[in-house]
Amino acid sequence: GAVVSQHPSWVICKSGTSVKIECRSLDFQATTMFWYRQFPKQSLMLMATSNEGSKATYEQGVEKDKFLINHASLTLSTLTVTSAHPEDSSFYICSAWGGRGRVYGYTFGSGTRLTVV
Amino acid sequence: GQQLNQSPQSMFIQEGEDVSMNCTSSSIFNTWLWYKQDPGEGPVLLIALYKAGELTSNGRLTAQFGITRKDSFLNISASIPSDVGIYFCAGQLYHTGNQFYFGTGTSLTVIP
């Protein structure tokens, strides 16, 4: 149980285009999803927290207009990197939190490697 | 975001040796978690700790939630080659939206 699916696992896009990353909780309802960014050999940096049906809360320094987050259902959150530039190239990882018992609390997706050329 | 300091930054050990790493914060956390991450993958939960002083084991792994709620440590006994990877601690703050904040990571290399 407590499986989080993230798609795509990798994507290459041209500078200036937008990319959408999906995060799905497969066997539980995720009231909250978190989006992280990780540069090579560095830790995971929390970008934003999204609660189903409400606007995402962004961490300081994260541009909300550039990283659009939508949490339209209890099983799906999406992160759209708009007008991507090479400096946006990174490993993006989502985490889903069920909030209904600890066993569903701490599951991560497998990550999306974004390369902007 | 919150700053969690993890040490050591990297470790090179012989197979069979024990490993110890710790994580400290200036903030009080409600939950401490330990993850392992392999290259190109998302973190995988190893141990979750829910109250101060708690000591929990998962096979050869043992972790403790510090009594000040500002620190935690992870021990790995009798290391094996598959223990290689990056280990992260993470703290969760319930009152600010359940966010997890990650430590700086410990890179573990096990020499056969």
Side-chain angles (χ1 to χ4, degrees):
Chain A
V3 177
V4 175
S5 174
Q6 190 170 338
H7 179 80
S9 57
W10 60 270
V11 58
I12 301 174
C13 71
K14 289 186 177 180
S15 185
T17 61
S18 295
V19 173
K20 180 183 285 188
I21 302 170
E22 292 187 349
C23 182
R24 294 180 184 271
S25 57
L26 298 185
D27 50 1
F28 67 102
Q29 292 183 329
T31 53
T32 305
M33 287 190 176
F34 306 95
W35 287 95
Y36 293 83
R37 182 175 182 176
Q38 185 178 33
F39 291 107
K41 301 186 184 299
Q42 294 189 21
S43 186
L44 286 77
M45 298 302 297
L46 180 65
M47 299 174 66
T49 302
S50 73
N51 293 295
E52 185 266 340
S54 63
K55 290 183 179 180
T57 302
Y58 290 81
E59 294 295 300
Q60 192 172 12
V62 178
E63 300 175 59
K64 60 180 67 176
D65 294 332
K66 180 163 190 63
F67 299 100
L68 301 179
I69 292 172
N70 184 282
H71 193 161
S73 77
L74 284 171
T75 59
L76 173 64
S77 176
T78 60
L79 167 68
T80 301
V81 182
T82 62
S83 187
H85 288 95
E87 58 265 30
D88 298 325
S89 298
S90 187
F91 192 52
Y92 293 87
I93 311 173
C94 70
S95 169
W97 191 71
R100 295 178 62 191
R102 295 161 176 172
V103 68
Y104 296 127
Y106 315 111
T107 304
F108 281 79
S110 55
T112 298
R113 173 74 60 193
L114 170 64
T115 302
V116 184
V117 298
Chain B
Q2 301 294 325
Q3 183 72 35
L4 274 67
N5 298 308
Q6 194 171 337
S7 65
Q9 184 176 10
S10 61
M11 302 181 72
F12 293 82
I13 62 169
Q14 290 288 131
E15 182 177 358
E17 290 184 352
D18 296 342
V19 173
S20 183
M21 61 190 77
N22 65 72
C23 198
T24 60
S25 171
S26 58
S27 300
I28 292 175
F29 287 101
N30 299 98
T31 301
W32 279 96
L33 310 161
W34 285 92
Y35 287 88
K36 181 177 181 235
Q37 185 180 29
D38 292 324
E41 300 288 333
V44 175
L45 181 66
L46 299 174
I47 293 179
L49 302 160
Y50 303 107
K51 59 181 181 181
E54 180 180 352
L55 185 70
T56 298
S57 293
N58 178 9
R60 294 178 295 107
L61 279 62
T62 301
Q64 185 160 28
F65 192 142
I67 57 174
T68 66
R69 296 167 66 189
K70 293 183 177 182
D71 61 346
S72 177
F73 72 76
L74 174 71
N75 284 343
I76 305 173
S77 62
S79 59
I80 58 178
S82 61
D83 290 335
V84 166
I86 312 274
Y87 291 79
F88 290 102
C89 62
Q92 185 183 34
L93 295 168
Y94 287 160
H95 64 278
T96 58
N98 303 308
Q99 294 95 333
F100 297 92
Y101 294 96
F102 278 75
T104 47
T106 296
S107 174
L108 177 63
T109 301
V110 179
I111 303 168

